[in-house]
Amino acid sequence: MALSEHEQRLLDEMERRFYQSEADVLPTSGASRPALSYRMIVLGTLITLAGVGVMVAGVAAQLLWLGLIGFAAMVAGVVLFFTRREKEIGVTDASSARSSAAPKSAAAKESLSDRMERRWNERMEGER
């Protein structure tokens, strides 16, 4: 079924708005992703290797609990390896870090769909 001229114009306008607002939805490349910490990479590697050793020792001694501890250490090491840090915070920067963390926690509680809906409503109200 064909669209009327009015419906076609509305559809074109919606598409145009969608493509204009698409940049607001997509994350910026690399700007929000913090760098890997060299300390966490080394610590994660050492813990993973220790976990492999403990797991092998547990298998060799036929001790299930020791093998499970080794596996848990391996998983913890891999998690540490891929942990990203914003910035190493010194003692002098701790108070400023606490004050800037408060607004982020309120925004973090808002779900993605809620943020998207709020942004859409703000755009639609601003164009009227």
Side-chain angles (χ1 to χ4, degrees):
M1 185 163 100
L3 297 175
S4 69
E5 186 176 324
H6 176 69
E7 291 171 334
Q8 186 64 40
R9 276 188 278 137
L10 284 175
L11 181 62
D12 290 340
E13 183 180 341
M14 287 173 55
E15 286 177 352
R16 189 171 49 254
R17 285 183 185 171
F18 172 74
Y19 288 124
Q20 288 173 349
S21 66
E22 189 175 29
D24 296 341
V25 176
L26 298 176
T28 57
S29 61
S32 62
R33 291 192 68 164
L36 288 172
S37 170
Y38 179 72
R39 182 180 301 166
M40 288 296 137
I41 291 173
V42 171
L43 186 62
T45 302
L46 292 176
I47 291 175
T48 301
L49 291 176
V52 169
V54 170
M55 189 175 76
V56 168
V59 169
Q62 294 183 350
L63 297 172
L64 178 64
W65 62 270
L66 191 59
L68 291 175
I69 290 173
F71 180 76
M74 287 171 36
V75 170
V78 170
V79 168
L80 277 176
F81 184 88
F82 289 108
T83 298
R84 294 180 179 270
R85 292 239 169 146
E86 287 291 330
K87 181 176 107 174
E88 297 295 328
I89 299 175
V91 176
T92 58
D93 293 339
S95 62
S96 65
R98 280 190 213 111
S99 65
S100 67
K104 290 181 183 177
S105 64
K109 291 180 183 178
E110 188 178 27
S111 71
L112 176 64
S113 61
D114 291 338
R115 282 193 313 259
M116 298 287 291
E117 184 177 357
R118 181 180 47 81
R119 284 181 175 175
W120 177 260
N121 290 338
E122 288 172 359
R123 278 191 212 107
M124 292 301 115
E125 290 171 3
E127 292 182 8
R128 288 182 186 169

